[in-house]
Amino acid sequence: MNTQLWQNIGAIADSKQLMARLAKYVARLVKEKENSTLMTKEDFLAKLEKGEDDYRQGKTFAMMPGESYKDFRNRIGR
């Protein structure tokens, strides 16, 4: 894979425009790798499905009147 990657980079190395686009794309990939909050589309859809199932089964929480968001999260264990 490395060989193919370097061959492809070599093929566009004489184009400043393409190399600039490549550099921009690589920088975006590095940011994605460093961001631990990102998830795959499949993971995201699975979480949504679980949330919908929980809601249908009545597994929900509600804030009490006057309760702060921080207190609410502590009460439900999140």
Side-chain angles (χ1 to χ4, degrees), residues 7 9 21-23 40 47 53-55 60 64 76 78:
Q7 286 174 347
I9 291 172
R21 286 175 55 194
L22 176 62
T40 66
K47 282 185 177 269
D53 288 343
D54 287 349
Y55 178 76
T60 61
M64 303 295 206
I76 65 171
R78 297 204 176 139

Side-chain angles (χ1 to χ4, degrees), residues 60-71:
T60 61
F61 299 97
M63 287 180 68
M64 303 295 206
E67 183 176 33
S68 72
Y69 182 67
K70 182 179 178 181
D71 290 341

